[in-house]
Amino acid sequence: MQFDASLPIYQQVVTDIKREIASGTVHPGDKLPSCRDLAVRYRINPNTAARVYQVLEAQGVAETRRGMGTYVRDDPQLKGTMLREMADGYTAQYVREMRGLGFERKELLKILAAWDGPEEQTKEDTGNGKGKTDA
Amino acid sequence: MQFDASLPIYQQVVTDIKREIASGTVHPGDKLPSCRDLAVRYRINPNTAARVYQVLEAQGVAETRRGMGTYVRDDPQLKGTMLREMADGYTAQYVREMRGLGFERKELLKILAAWDGPEEQTKEDTGNGKGKTDA
DNA sequence: CTTAGTGTACTATATAGATAGTTCACTAAT
DNA sequence: ATTAGTGAACTATCTATATAGTACACTAAG
């Protein structure tokens, strides 16, 4: 995983773990990696990894048991709640940004329907621009 | 304007000025406020304001003439170029985020079509949650 | 020339973030 | 009791950001 320099690393890792829960890759009750393992996986400092778990616990996403590890909160509704929360957050931000540029919802639908931009780069895909917004 | 603590202020001001150009509030050739005026308008430090113009110049959006001020580059295509650039950037990010949550384009269209969430708060709008994503 | 307004450059201070390294406290297994 | 693995708590250093304040160089207008 590569980090965006304009956002704290620990926040990006927090978001990534929440994404894994929301998308069903990690489940409520699952044990998360130890601070030291997490640091290795994301190539970050163990202190930064510990901070990730402190934030997740503060947000009610994870539970920490000293000496035992950190676990995803065992709440069957957790996945659905987080999926809705994150999707709504992304959508609200997108609509806000596009409105700031002068686009109304109707135009957003047209742009998204025509969107074929950067579809997951693969090895063979040399990534020629292809078509984007023609508005 | 209020700033997001998780992003450098100068970057947020840069984006705001580019948004004004893309949406047609400010036009190519227009004179931008002086560093000191900009600092007053955004309630930031004059040094931070100067940095904003350095970034805008580096990005080819503005031209600085020492002793005279900073101007939006006088290119008739600038507005269109920036509008496309910013809209594509926002859309690409949105699609990427939602795909990470497991949503395909078809679902995005449904979510956006049903979206009525946080429409620009006005004085009368007390901001009750209203309906959001029901996925 | 003088003045006002411009961008630029510098010193200094303060804070947040990230790193490195060490140590401690708790838990489970042996 | 010992050991290994866990989170937590420190000290220290470094960088980026933002602030305050001062000074300088250039431009146009008087």
Side-chain angles (χ1 to χ4, degrees):
Chain A
M1 179 179 177
Q2 51 186 2
F3 299 108
D4 179 353
S6 66
L7 205 65
I9 291 178
Y10 75 93
Q11 281 185 22
Q12 298 180 52
V13 177
V14 164
T15 300
D16 195 52
I17 292 177
K18 289 169 72 175
R19 181 190 57 75
E20 290 183 318
I21 299 172
S23 64
T25 306
V26 178
H27 308 88
D30 279 2
K31 183 178 188 308
L32 293 170
S34 74
C35 286
R36 294 163 179 81
D37 278 358
L38 194 73
V40 172
R41 292 194 192 191
Y42 284 93
R43 296 167 156 272
I44 59 179
N45 189 278
N47 294 323
T48 306
R51 187 167 187 180
V52 167
Y53 285 157
Q54 289 170 351
V55 172
L56 286 176
E57 173 143 48
Q59 294 184 354
V61 176
E63 284 174 349
T64 279
R65 298 173 227 168
R66 186 164 182 141
M68 293 190 59
T70 302
Y71 298 76
V72 178
R73 214 184 77 223
D74 199 355
D75 171 4
Q77 296 192 331
L78 186 60
K79 171 183 170 168
T81 301
M82 290 195 30
L83 185 59
R84 213 174 316 120
E85 186 179 296
M86 296 183 77
D88 281 357
Y90 292 146
T91 304
Q93 179 178 343
Y94 178 59
V95 172
R96 194 185 327 119
E97 287 166 340
M98 294 298 274
R99 282 185 61 101
L101 291 180
F103 293 103
E104 298 301 332
R105 189 190 336 193
K106 201 172 177 183
E107 299 172 283
L108 293 197
L109 291 173
K110 278 172 58 180
I111 291 175
L112 260 187
W115 187 256
D116 65 348
E119 302 275 12
E120 315 315 312
Q121 300 275 54
T122 60
K123 325 175 220 171
E124 320 302 345
D125 188 349
T126 54
N128 63 330
K130 297 211 284 176
K132 304 248 189 130
T133 303
D134 40 46
Chain B
M1 177 178 178
Q2 52 186 0
F3 299 108
D4 179 352
S6 66
L7 205 65
I9 291 177
Y10 75 92
Q11 282 186 21
Q12 298 180 52
V13 177
V14 164
T15 300
D16 195 54
I17 293 177
K18 289 170 72 174
R19 180 190 57 77
E20 290 182 319
I21 299 172
S23 63
T25 307
V26 177
H27 308 88
D30 278 2
K31 183 180 189 307
L32 292 169
S34 74
C35 286
R36 293 162 179 81
D37 278 358
L38 193 73
V40 172
R41 290 194 192 191
Y42 284 93
R43 297 167 155 271
I44 59 181
N45 189 279
N47 294 323
T48 305
R51 186 167 189 180
V52 168
Y53 286 157
Q54 290 170 351
V55 173
L56 285 176
E57 173 143 47
Q59 294 184 352
V61 176
E63 284 174 349
T64 278
R65 297 172 229 170
R66 188 163 180 142
M68 293 190 59
T70 302
Y71 298 77
V72 178
R73 213 184 78 221
D74 199 354
D75 171 3
Q77 296 192 332
L78 186 60
K79 171 183 169 167
T81 301
M82 290 197 29
L83 185 59
R84 212 173 317 119
E85 185 180 296
M86 296 183 76
D88 281 356
Y90 292 147
T91 304
Q93 179 179 343
Y94 178 59
V95 172
R96 194 184 328 119
E97 288 167 339
M98 294 298 274
R99 281 184 62 101
L101 292 180
F103 293 103
E104 299 301 332
R105 190 192 334 195
K106 200 172 177 182
E107 300 171 282
L108 292 198
L109 290 172
K110 277 171 59 180
I111 291 176
L112 260 187
W115 187 257
D116 66 347
E119 303 273 12
E120 315 315 310
Q121 301 276 55
T122 59
K123 324 175 222 170
E124 320 302 346
D125 188 350
T126 53
N128 61 331
K130 297 212 284 180
K132 304 253 187 125
T133 303
D134 41 47

